[in-house]
Amino acid sequence: MKKKNKTKVICFANNKGGSGKSTTCASVAYAFSQMGKKVLLIDGDMQLNLTLSYFTEDKALEIASSEKNLYIAIKEQKPLTDFIYKTDFEGVDIIPSSTLMSSIEFELFTKWQREFILKKMLAPVVESGVYDYVLIDAPPTLGCWVMNILCSADRIILPVEASPWGLFGLANMFEFIGQVQEIAPSLELLGVVVTKVDARKNYFKQTMETLKTTEGINVFESVIHLDSSVEWAQDNSQPVGSYKKSSRSALEYKALAEEILNAF
């Protein structure tokens, strides 16, 4: 009998918006699929950016207002396996989000062991071994829902924008991770990936120097430069690796995906 895969769960999180979380999550998933890995994406953000990376706006909004999205699954605590959609890309499935996720904190507030609801609901997916990786896009907040996401993950990756404000609030994020590790000690920070890089500006050098001198933090060698191909890919509801595989960002995300694989 063929041994089942050990499904690994990775969360992409940062409490600062605009850090490139959703794009990084979507692009790494596609790169993994091109390496023969089977991936399940979970869009945990009400902004639907991860969902929009694989579905058109009309389709994403249709799902968001339906009875088959992450909000309904969490609210009713139904098996996540019932909320999985196929994408147009072999090896990549997704559980889409809903704009109603804005009220998820309220839904969780009265639940028993509310920090572990997502972990419990995700357990059958992980134990099935169908997927090599589950990648979760977290919203840019620090609350019970993000704690849920972190508690369900094996590893966390922090995308950080190379800008004057890119590091703002990062200390709060590290403190929050530490709090989560008190109740989910197996959670580990896999590393920080620097995004939206313009190497001509000093912001990039300052960001890298600050991160690399922060004790206990792994900074991925692969950095993601600004690239118009990303915006065009988003406009076409595709990950950039599919839209233009020869683009700078597509090659950088592929290199990042390889780093992540080697980090386990």
Side-chain angles (χ1 to χ4, degrees):
M1 182 182 292
K2 185 179 178 181
K3 188 177 180 180
K4 290 180 180 178
N5 298 322
K6 173 64 175 75
T7 302
K8 301 173 182 68
V9 183
I10 304 174
C11 164
F12 292 78
N14 191 327
N15 57 319
K16 182 187 177 301
S19 60
K21 286 185 303 76
S22 302
T23 302
T24 302
C25 185
S27 300
V28 168
Y30 179 78
F32 278 173
S33 73
Q34 296 304 292
M35 299 172 190
K37 306 299 182 183
K38 189 163 177 57
V39 183
L40 174 64
L41 290 168
I42 299 179
D43 189 350
D45 192 350
M46 63 169 284
Q47 297 181 65
L48 312 180
N49 289 337
L50 184 61
T51 305
L52 289 165
S53 298
Y54 282 87
F55 293 135
T56 64
E57 183 176 339
D58 287 346
K59 180 66 174 176
L61 291 175
E62 177 189 325
I63 295 170
S65 60
S66 73
E67 294 296 307
K68 191 180 175 181
N69 56 61
L70 183 61
Y71 174 76
I72 299 296
I74 298 297
K75 180 181 178 181
E76 301 182 6
Q77 295 189 47
K78 292 182 175 180
L80 286 182
T81 48
D82 296 342
F83 294 83
I84 296 173
Y85 288 77
K86 298 287 184 184
T87 72
D88 290 337
F89 304 93
E90 184 69 30
V92 182
D93 296 341
I94 188 170
I95 298 176
S97 187
S98 167
T99 51
L100 294 174
M101 288 295 292
S102 58
S103 63
I104 196 65
E105 295 284 338
F106 174 78
E107 296 294 343
L108 292 170
F109 184 73
T110 58
K111 300 290 192 293
W112 172 251
Q113 291 190 318
R114 57 183 179 268
E115 296 88 354
F116 297 100
I117 288 174
L118 180 61
K119 182 179 179 68
K120 292 176 183 175
M121 295 174 63
L122 189 57
V125 175
V126 172
E127 291 166 3
S128 73
V130 169
Y131 297 97
D132 297 294
Y133 291 89
V134 175
L135 306 185
I136 309 175
D137 183 27
T141 59
L142 297 179
C144 186
W145 174 233
V146 174
M147 186 170 284
N148 250 270
I149 293 174
L150 267 60
C151 283
S152 71
D154 301 306
R155 303 289 187 272
I156 177 172
I157 292 175
L158 300 183
V160 172
E161 180 185 5
S163 74
W165 299 105
L167 297 175
F168 184 75
L170 199 58
N172 291 338
M173 188 72 217
F174 290 141
E175 182 180 352
F176 187 77
I177 292 170
Q179 292 172 355
V180 174
Q181 287 173 323
E182 291 179 7
I183 60 173
S186 62
L187 174 68
E188 294 181 20
L189 175 60
L190 195 61
V192 174
V193 55
V194 180
T195 64
K196 300 186 177 181
V197 169
D198 185 342
R200 298 169 298 178
K201 296 182 179 179
N202 287 329
Y203 306 141
F204 171 54
K205 295 176 183 176
Q206 292 171 3
T207 301
M208 293 299 288
E209 286 173 5
T210 300
L211 289 170
K212 288 193 172 183
T213 55
T214 303
E215 186 177 353
I217 302 302
N218 171 53
V219 182
F220 289 106
E221 292 298 322
S222 304
V223 300
I224 312 300
H225 287 80
L226 288 168
D227 186 351
S228 61
S229 296
V230 172
E231 284 77 19
W232 283 110
Q234 292 169 344
D235 193 49
N236 284 272
S237 305
Q238 295 181 45
V240 68
S242 167
Y243 177 77
K244 190 175 182 181
K245 65 180 181 180
S246 62
S247 65
R248 184 178 195 175
S249 56
L251 296 174
E252 288 171 344
Y253 278 122
K254 180 181 178 183
L256 174 63
E258 290 171 346
E259 265 197 88
I260 293 170
L261 290 179
N262 292 331
F264 275 94

